[in-house]
């Protein structure tokens, strides 16, 4: 199966989801389980999966977080002047990997995360973050297939 969007958008999606997950986990202090649930219940995954350019490259990670958190009690805690973190860490890497895995395998974020949780992905950071991304993709796909 082929992805719904061209590879030329992939780097933007990876960066934006990376910052989204880093912001949600580090700045907003949500647990991995909470972030995974909020992400999957939002419109974000579906819009990326169908190749909506506004969600592929038209919104930053912070803007994605605002969408994910609108209509919640914490939405007012997101400052308009807050800038995105600039130093990618495990949390950034998790979003980067999820975007790649979804694009490469043309499967839903829900299918990925129901078989390979965000918490599990984060636990792989120390061993896998310097490896080629195809290695973690293979590990994730082994759990799905």
């Amino acid at each position: 199966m082929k992805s719904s969007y061209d590879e030329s958008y992939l780097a933007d999606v990876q960066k934006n989801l990376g910052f989204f997950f880093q912001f949600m986990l580090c700045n907003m202090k949500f647990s991995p389980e909470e972030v995974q649930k909020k992400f999957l219940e939002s419109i974000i995954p579906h819009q990326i999966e169908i190749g909506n350019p506004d969600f592929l490259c038209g919104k930053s990670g912070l803007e994605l977080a605002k969408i994910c958190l609108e209509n919640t009690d914490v939405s007012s805690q997101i400052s308009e002047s807050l800038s995105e973190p600039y130093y990618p860490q495990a949390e950034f890497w998790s979003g980067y990997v999820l975007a790649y895995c979804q694009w490469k395998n043309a499967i839903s974020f829900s299918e990925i995360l129901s078989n390979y949780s965000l918490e599990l992905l984060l636990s792989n950071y120390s061993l896998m973050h310097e490896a080629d991304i195809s290695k973690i993709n293979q590990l994730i796909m082994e759990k799905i297939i």
Side-chain angles (χ1 to χ4, degrees):
M1 184 183 257
K2 187 179 176 199
S3 177
S4 63
Y5 63 90
D6 188 77
E7 186 176 5
S8 62
Y9 289 103
L10 180 59
D12 285 332
V13 177
Q14 288 177 291
K15 177 188 67 139
N16 293 335
L17 278 187
F19 281 123
F20 166 81
F21 281 102
Q22 187 167 329
F23 176 79
M24 294 289 284
L25 291 161
C26 296
N27 296 64
M28 296 304 294
K29 308 284 190 228
F30 288 115
S31 71
E33 296 83 11
E34 290 172 311
V35 173
Q36 179 174 318
K37 185 177 187 305
K38 288 179 185 306
F39 174 69
L40 292 176
E41 289 175 350
S42 75
I43 65 169
I44 299 165
H46 179 69
Q47 294 302 311
I48 293 171
E49 292 163 4
I50 64 170
N52 181 340
D54 193 32
F55 284 79
L56 299 179
C57 62
K59 297 190 184 318
S60 70
L62 183 58
E63 290 171 315
L64 294 176
K66 287 179 181 180
I67 289 169
C68 188
L69 296 173
E70 66 187 5
N71 304 323
T72 68
D73 294 340
V74 296
S75 62
S76 62
Q77 296 175 18
I78 303 174
S79 170
E80 290 297 320
S81 62
L82 184 64
S83 62
E84 293 178 341
Y86 65 93
Y87 183 73
Q89 299 170 9
E91 297 80 8
F92 179 93
W93 179 80
S94 66
Y96 187 90
V97 167
L98 282 171
Y100 177 83
C101 189
Q102 188 279 324
W103 174 83
K104 177 74 175 167
N105 303 292
I107 58 176
S108 70
F109 287 103
S110 178
E111 187 172 356
I112 296 167
L113 291 169
S114 66
N115 291 285
Y116 207 92
S117 71
L118 179 58
E119 186 172 19
L120 180 56
L121 185 56
L122 287 163
S123 73
N124 290 151
Y125 176 76
S126 62
L127 293 173
M128 303 293 287
H129 77 279
E130 291 185 8
D132 186 277
I133 197 166
S134 64
K135 300 290 184 195
I136 187 66
N137 180 62
Q138 180 181 358
L139 193 62
I140 292 168
M141 291 309 294
E142 286 172 4
K143 286 271 198 178
I144 294 174
I145 297 173

